[in-house]
Amino acid sequence: MRTSEPPARPFALLAWALRPSPREFAVLIVTLLGVWLCELFIPFILGATVDAAVSRREPFTEIFRFGVSALIAAAALYLFHTFYLRAETRLVAHGTFRLRSYLYTRIIEQPLSALSGSRKDEMAQRVMGDAGVLDAHAIYLFADVPFSILTILGVFAVMAWMQPGLALLALAVLVSAAMLSHVIGHPLGTRERLVRHRWTRLGGRLQQTFDCFRSVKSCGREDHEARSLDREGDRLMRAEIASGEIVARLEPLLQMMTTFGFLAVVWYGAYLVHAGALTPGRLVAFIAYMELMREPVRDAGVHYAHYKQSAGTLRRIADLVRRLSPRAFGGSFGPTGRLGVELTEIGFSWPGSGRRILDGVSFRAAPGEIVAIVGENGAGKSTLMDVLLGLLQADCGTVRIGGIALEEWNRTALRRVMAVVPQAAMLFHATIEENIRYGAPDAGEGELAAALKLSGLEPVIARLPRGIRTIVGDRGDRLSGGERQRVTLARALLLKPQILVLDEAASGLDAEILPSLLKLLQEGRDDRLTFVVSHHREIVSIADRVIVLDHGRLTCICTPSELDAQRRAAA
């Protein structure tokens, strides 16, 4: 789902997510006003009924009419409130979806470097946990708080019209409660941020333990990991207790103040009735209005807590929005014939690292060539291929595909002409067929059969009970490493790419598939540019040129025979 770009400011971001359509906005306003008017009318008609009964001057039919009016207002209040809550629920659900959709769409578009290390867990938390701020807290700010404010203003206006002195007394209680809420609840935001930080630390430590579970078990470090988790859990518990203690002081104090205010109004109102300055019915109405005001005043502390929690969470989401890389491949260029590659002064460093993984790498590769990329471990070979594929954004330099800068390509068109077989074959929890078709879901049965044959998957599928419809398991763990690599090779071949990258692909393949792979690289090479990252001598030997990297720098470009001669001379 594509959405407009949100503002990277906490509550502006929330307003962007919750923005209603004109129809939704009209329903919210009409139902909110309906609830508000009904709530204001019922105490007033209740007071009029009491005055009519006490005065004994009104006929019973008038009292009956007041009663019927109150019942009608109560029924209308129910209907308006029901439709208001339904509209509110839809607004929050749509807002949560809109925010999550934007976040996961933009995260998926990020280069590989954006999801390095612990940032994967952080981004997942922003999408699933923090985006739930709308359900957990933000709805109180956009629905309950406006309604509370509207109720307080409306009640105070009616009370001031009925008896200014009593209204001022009620206002004094309200202002005092608001001031106490601010003073006592001020540290709550800091405490909540600490709770969230501790919660994230515990989750990260637990995920790390799961990721390294084999090492934990084989090294006999279960007790160590349990103690480490206990330490993080204890810190989380203490932060939660400190936050809860603030709320525990705030809410009862506000409730006590509203109770005292209620008692003061009743006492002063009784005095006014005795002095003839207020009718008994209006005192009853005042008491009913005070009941209406008690809930929003009592909830002021809760609303303040929701505000602080929402502010902290939205601040983290806004910070993530600011850190997301601009959308790449926003152009409209698509393939027109065979494609060559040109890299000019490419430099790259991982975020937060001062070490250059690639430093000033430049070369050209023509259609039909097989280019081998060699170098020691850590030389930057795989990183160079990821930059070429557009999976990583270079810090400096230019990548041109078919003479067009990478960022000017249309993303869909670019992915149709490039394919990669990585060293670590990662599969989805799906069938073998679904994994192979992942990049080309509309490929025909004949094309699929050809990819299966070329990748050497036919004998593997033949011995599986469900054949190509076998579920490969989580990350493909029901297949061997070589079988997983064949699946990724078949996936790449099904794309019929004009640029094919094999990144140490042979390292996971069985020995018997190597001749087929060499034959595959030679077949159809006139229409394809192939890059092979490999230490395998036989694979490098079929390359037209060899690019040698050393600590991120291009040291030479030579033929396989020249590379062999250099190695013999160095030995």
Side-chain angles (χ1 to χ4, degrees):
M1 176 182 173
R2 287 285 182 179
T3 58
S4 60
E5 292 294 327
R9 302 184 306 279
F11 285 99
L13 176 65
L14 180 60
W16 172 87
L18 286 176
R19 65 189 189 277
S21 66
R23 180 179 178 276
E24 290 174 325
F25 184 74
V27 170
L28 282 169
I29 293 299
V30 169
T31 53
L32 177 61
L33 289 176
V35 172
W36 180 66
L37 290 173
C38 288
E39 284 195 337
L40 292 181
F41 177 73
I42 291 174
F44 181 81
I45 200 69
L46 179 63
T49 304
V50 171
D51 279 340
V54 170
S55 69
R56 298 180 179 272
R57 291 192 298 268
E58 298 290 345
F60 180 76
T61 54
E62 187 69 13
I63 296 175
F64 181 76
R65 186 171 63 84
F66 285 152
V68 171
S69 299
L71 290 176
I72 293 174
L77 175 62
Y78 166 78
L79 292 175
F80 279 123
H81 202 184
T82 298
F83 284 111
Y84 176 71
L85 291 178
R86 288 177 60 182
E88 177 186 278
T89 300
R90 292 178 64 86
L91 179 66
V92 173
H94 289 161
T96 302
F97 173 72
R98 186 178 294 119
L99 182 57
R100 283 197 175 124
S101 175
Y102 173 79
L103 289 175
Y104 58 62
T105 299
R106 292 287 287 110
I107 288 171
I108 289 173
E109 292 175 340
Q110 296 300 292
L112 292 178
S113 55
L115 294 177
S116 61
S118 62
R119 295 191 68 188
K120 290 183 291 186
D121 298 331
E122 177 197 353
M123 289 187 176
Q125 173 57 29
R126 295 295 88 82
V127 173
M128 295 308 301
D130 286 353
V133 66
L134 302 182
D135 290 316
H137 306 295
I139 186 57
Y140 294 96
L141 304 178
F142 270 72
D144 289 7
V145 170
F147 182 72
S148 296
I149 293 173
L150 197 61
T151 297
I152 291 171
L153 292 176
V155 167
F156 180 74
V158 174
M159 291 171 72
W161 170 71
M162 294 173 63
Q163 173 45 248
L166 275 180
L168 289 174
L169 180 59
L171 179 63
V173 173
L174 178 64
V175 171
S176 300
M179 292 175 63
L180 276 174
S181 174
H182 176 73
V183 172
I184 297 176
H186 184 68
L188 190 60
T190 303
R191 296 293 185 183
E192 288 297 332
R193 286 195 294 272
L194 182 60
V195 168
R196 180 63 63 176
H197 173 70
R198 296 299 187 196
W199 188 89
T200 302
R201 285 284 300 270
L202 176 61
R205 181 72 193 193
L206 187 61
Q207 185 62 50
Q208 178 178 283
T209 301
F210 290 163
D211 290 343
C212 302
F213 200 55
R214 180 180 292 273
S215 299
V216 172
K217 302 292 287 184
S218 61
C219 295
R221 298 289 281 173
E222 294 93 338
D223 291 342
H224 167 76
E225 290 300 321
R227 286 193 297 271
S228 298
L229 290 168
D230 275 345
R231 284 194 294 271
E232 294 294 345
D234 181 70
R235 295 187 184 105
L236 173 60
M237 177 189 68
R238 293 176 185 277
E240 288 175 332
I241 290 174
S243 177
E245 286 177 346
I246 295 175
V247 177
R249 291 196 303 270
L250 183 60
E251 291 189 18
L253 183 59
L254 290 173
Q255 187 170 9
M256 182 189 70
M257 287 200 64
T258 55
T259 302
F260 284 170
F262 176 76
L263 293 175
V265 167
V266 171
W267 174 82
Y268 185 53
Y271 167 76
L272 292 174
V273 170
H274 185 267
L278 190 69
T279 66
R282 290 204 169 184
L283 177 58
V284 171
F286 248 97
I287 294 172
Y289 281 127
M290 280 295 296
E291 281 297 313
L292 278 181
M293 279 185 43
R294 283 184 67 179
E295 184 174 352
V297 172
R298 186 184 66 239
D299 290 344
V302 177
H303 294 327
Y304 187 77
H306 285 305
Y307 165 76
K308 284 295 188 181
Q309 291 165 335
S310 298
T313 304
L314 289 167
R315 196 175 295 114
R316 288 192 297 272
I317 298 177
D319 181 61
L320 173 62
V321 170
R322 281 192 295 268
R323 288 190 285 117
L324 291 175
S325 300
R327 284 194 167 103
F329 315 122
S332 57
F333 181 77
T336 54
R338 300 197 306 165
L339 301 174
V341 167
E342 180 181 0
L343 279 72
T344 306
E345 294 295 323
I346 295 297
F348 178 82
S349 300
W350 286 101
S353 170
R355 187 170 72 90
R356 275 289 201 193
I357 306 300
L358 297 174
D359 190 4
V361 177
S362 301
F363 67 85
R364 292 183 179 180
E369 280 192 301
I370 298 177
V371 180
I373 313 293
V374 302
E376 300 296 327
N377 290 333
K381 305 183 297 296
S382 296
T383 303
L384 178 63
M385 291 297 96
D386 285 340
V387 170
L388 169 65
L389 291 164
L391 303 179
L392 291 174
Q393 290 180 335
D395 301 333
C396 57
T398 304
V399 178
R400 293 185 179 275
I401 308 292
I404 304 298
L406 200 61
E407 57 271 14
E408 296 179 18
W409 274 75
N410 173 270
R411 181 178 64 183
T412 302
L414 181 67
R415 295 302 170 221
R416 279 203 302 263
V417 301
M418 307 178 85
V420 59
V421 182
Q423 180 178 6
M426 298 295 291
L427 303 181
F428 294 94
H429 186 86
T431 66
I432 293 176
E433 181 178 7
E434 287 170 325
N435 273 281
I436 294 173
R437 287 184 177 275
Y438 186 71
D442 298 326
E445 292 298 324
E447 295 171 307
L448 177 62
L452 294 176
K453 181 177 181 180
L454 289 171
S455 62
L457 264 177
E458 287 181 326
V460 176
I461 291 172
R463 66 172 180 263
L464 293 172
R466 300 195 62 188
I468 198 170
R469 292 179 175 81
T470 299
I471 299 292
V472 301
D474 188 25
R475 301 186 180 186
D477 59 5
R478 295 180 186 173
L479 302 179
S480 70
E483 290 168 345
R484 289 196 297 270
Q485 200 72 320
R486 294 187 195 194
V487 172
T488 59
L489 179 58
R491 177 193 295 165
L493 294 174
L494 192 61
L495 289 169
K496 297 180 180 178
Q498 292 172 264
I499 299 174
L500 175 64
V501 175
L502 302 180
D503 188 357
E504 295 285 6
S507 63
L509 293 174
D510 304 322
E512 63 267 20
I513 197 65
L514 183 60
S516 299
L517 178 62
L518 295 174
K519 181 181 178 183
L520 169 66
L521 293 176
Q522 295 285 11
E523 290 179 351
R525 59 179 295 172
D526 290 343
D527 298 322
R528 183 179 65 223
L529 170 58
T530 304
F531 292 92
V532 290
V533 177
S534 180
H535 293 96
H536 205 290
R537 186 179 295 271
E538 288 185 67
I539 293 179
V540 173
S541 67
I542 68 170
D544 299 295
R545 289 188 296 152
V546 180
I547 293 175
V548 182
L549 295 180
D550 183 27
H551 293 91
R553 299 190 67 85
L554 192 155
T555 58
C556 74
I557 300 178
C558 57
T559 64
S561 58
E562 290 171 341
L563 179 63
D564 286 339
Q566 291 177 16
R567 288 174 172 172
R568 285 195 297 269

